[in-house]
Amino acid sequence: QHYIIEEMGKGILERLDEGIVVGDGGFVFALEKRGYVKAGPWTPEAVVEHPEAVKQLHREFLRAGSDVMQCFTFYASEDKLENRGNKAAHHGVSAVNEAACRIAREVANEGDALIAGGMSQTPTYLSGGSKETVQKEFQKQADAFVKCGVDFLICEYFEHVEEAIWAVEVCKKTNLAVAANLCINDQGDMHGVPTAECAVRLAKAGADIIGINCHFDPDGVLAGIREMKRGLEEAGLKRHLMSQPLAFKTPDVNRQGFIDLPEFPFGLEPRILTRWDCHRYAREAYELGVRYIGACCGFEPYHIRAISEELAKERGRLPAASEKHDMWGGGLKLHTKPWVRARARRDYWENLRPASGRANSSAYSNPDAWGVTAGDDLLKQQREATTQAEISNLVSRS
């Protein structure tokens, strides 16, 4: 299958050297809402059980302007597939990862897109596992990605730079380009390593692209990337920068991010970004020097289309999905109601402050702050299903 890579032309680093790469959106949240992913484990067995659903979402992101089809391999390490009574492991770690690669490649070949194999933090690390045991989990995924001929690798959703470095070390052995994303902001990782220092450590481990994904909205992610950029510049290291934020407003979160919000995960909809928020995000990321501009949980294809439209001049093209979308509400000129036609202008949408329609809702929440992280007994994982007694014990701490 490696001949496919040659036909695709320029690789990820060449593309970044020349300009902007638009990533895709969030698969676990999108497919959970569609009924194909289970909230809680958030594992990607849908690639085996419902491949057409995964394929359709890839196609929608491609049509919206994505240059990369990220294989749906989030939380596809073997220890995660079997964690806390999850039955996804019966498909086999290789089968899940390879199916994800095949689906992504099929859709990528419908356009000029690359595919990326992704790996993320593991239950083994959170439970205090050794470097050797954690890297064995990463190696199983890396072997599948090499077998399937992915174009590059993404190590993402790491709360601790130490584990991210272990993932990068495994990925570098493949001789593929490697991106490394932490799920932190400008306050450092969950072990207290400063954000700027995290970037330097990832660069020295061999990461070609460095950034942040998930846990925080565009403002939080870009604040963290500013620190990463500063750290890299002060260390004399040059790397491409990558951003993949949440599509939820999170100004009230602590260092743990949106999973500490009481609304996580089933009450987040009032926080969703508008497409116009995504225009602003894309422009601010570009002006910061980020050239891999992507997205994570909550981002739907229309959000990615907004990113692509904002950067259309720089990229030299609009996405196919803009055939049905005029910039800045221009399509509303065709509306039957005159007051809606009056909204067919940029200044209206750019300055809109949306209401929630929820009279008793506050603007901000009070996040949980348990303060547990890798190494704490409460974060140790297990193959056995969580019992009701264990739930009762957790509730007593709330």
Side-chain angles (χ1 to χ4, degrees):
Q1 297 188 28
H2 291 277
Y3 72 92
I4 297 174
I5 299 174
E6 296 176 3
E7 291 183 351
M8 292 299 292
K10 295 175 181 176
I12 186 62
L13 298 182
E14 293 173 281
R15 295 183 185 212
L16 288 169
D17 285 340
E18 294 179 1
I20 301 164
V21 169
V22 174
D24 57 9
F27 272 70
V28 289
F29 269 55
L31 290 173
E32 191 278 331
K33 287 179 170 63
R34 289 159 170 79
Y36 300 107
V37 163
K38 188 171 187 175
W42 305 108
T43 45
E45 61 272 16
V47 296
V48 176
E49 298 172 354
H50 302 285
E52 289 303 318
V54 179
K55 189 181 301 181
Q56 178 61 25
L57 189 54
H58 275 303
R59 283 200 174 110
E60 292 178 22
F61 283 128
L62 181 69
R63 179 172 167 79
S66 296
D67 297 308
V68 174
M69 300 292 100
Q70 195 166 330
C71 302
F72 186 30
T73 55
F74 177 77
Y75 271 168
S77 61
E78 188 169 43
D79 59 345
K80 181 61 177 175
L81 294 175
E82 64 184 12
N83 191 49
R84 294 196 174 277
N86 191 3
K87 305 299 183 185
H90 81 271
H91 293 297
V93 63
S94 296
V96 170
N97 283 273
E98 290 174 22
C101 295
R102 288 193 298 270
I103 294 168
R105 179 63 78 190
E106 179 180 343
V107 177
N109 284 351
E110 296 172 5
D112 184 28
L114 303 174
I115 75 167
M119 57 182 68
S120 42
Q121 67 180 6
T122 63
T124 299
Y125 181 84
L126 295 178
S127 300
S130 67
K131 179 178 181 178
E132 181 182 7
T133 56
V134 171
Q135 288 190 324
K136 282 182 179 179
E137 296 295 332
F138 294 141
Q139 190 64 57
K140 295 169 191 175
Q141 288 189 269
D143 289 344
F145 297 147
V146 170
K147 179 180 178 181
C148 293
V150 303
D151 297 306
F152 68 104
L153 299 172
I154 300 177
C155 306
E156 67 172 4
Y157 197 75
F158 286 93
E159 296 174 307
H160 309 89
V161 69
E162 179 182 56
E163 187 184 15
I165 288 170
W166 294 354
V168 169
E169 289 174 352
V170 170
C171 290
K172 289 300 290 185
K173 295 176 183 177
T174 67
N175 294 318
L176 294 169
V178 178
N181 289 333
L182 303 178
C183 50
I184 66 174
N185 60 4
D186 57 352
Q187 298 176 39
D189 80 348
M190 292 304 294
H191 278 157
V193 180
T195 303
E197 176 62 22
C198 286
V200 171
R201 293 186 189 184
L202 289 170
K204 289 182 177 180
D208 304 290
I209 307 162
I210 294 171
I212 295 173
N213 82 296
C214 206
H215 275 206
F216 302 93
D217 63 14
D219 291 339
V221 164
L222 294 181
I225 290 177
R226 286 187 188 92
E227 280 297 293
M228 288 184 159
K229 182 179 181 181
R230 179 182 65 80
L232 292 169
E233 289 176 348
E234 290 179 357
L237 298 168
K238 184 174 176 57
R239 295 293 187 275
H240 292 292
L241 298 174
M242 178 175 181
S243 61
Q244 302 217 100
L246 297 173
F248 306 106
K249 291 280 191 179
T250 61
D252 46 344
V253 298
N254 53 34
R255 199 170 69 177
Q256 184 74 71
F258 82 141
I259 60 174
D260 270 9
L261 291 173
E263 301 98 318
F264 176 86
F266 300 128
L268 291 165
E269 284 81 2
R271 295 172 175 265
I272 198 75
L273 300 182
T274 68
R275 62 194 70 194
W276 319 116
D277 292 324
C278 295
H279 275 267
R280 182 173 68 86
Y281 153 58
R283 182 55 53 190
E284 290 182 357
Y286 181 80
E287 291 177 353
L288 180 59
V290 179
R291 290 299 177 264
Y292 192 126
I293 301 175
C296 201
C297 299
F299 270 82
E300 293 279 349
Y302 75 93
H303 291 115
I304 299 300
R305 180 179 62 189
I307 293 171
S308 301
E309 289 180 344
E310 175 63 31
L311 300 172
K313 181 178 180 181
E314 288 81 1
R315 299 176 79 211
R317 65 188 185 279
L318 283 167
S322 293
E323 294 171 357
K324 295 293 185 180
H325 185 254
D326 293 338
M327 293 279 282
W328 298 106
L332 298 181
K333 295 175 182 177
L334 283 68
H335 204 279
T336 57
K337 302 298 189 292
W339 59 89
V340 178
R341 290 198 298 274
R343 299 170 189 163
R345 64 188 198 275
R346 177 171 181 163
D347 66 304
Y348 178 88
W349 295 109
E350 204 165 34
N351 296 304
L352 182 70
R353 296 295 179 264
S356 71
R358 300 174 184 272
N360 296 319
S361 291
S362 61
Y364 287 5
S365 293
N366 294 314
D368 290 327
W370 284 30
V372 299
T373 190
D376 291 304
D377 286 342
L378 277 176
L379 212 58
K380 289 182 177 178
Q381 304 301 306
Q382 62 194 40
R383 289 186 181 180
E384 298 77 23
T386 303
T387 65
Q388 188 56 47
E390 289 173 321
I391 293 293
S392 298
N393 182 53
L394 295 174
V395 170
S396 70
R397 291 178 53 93
S398 297

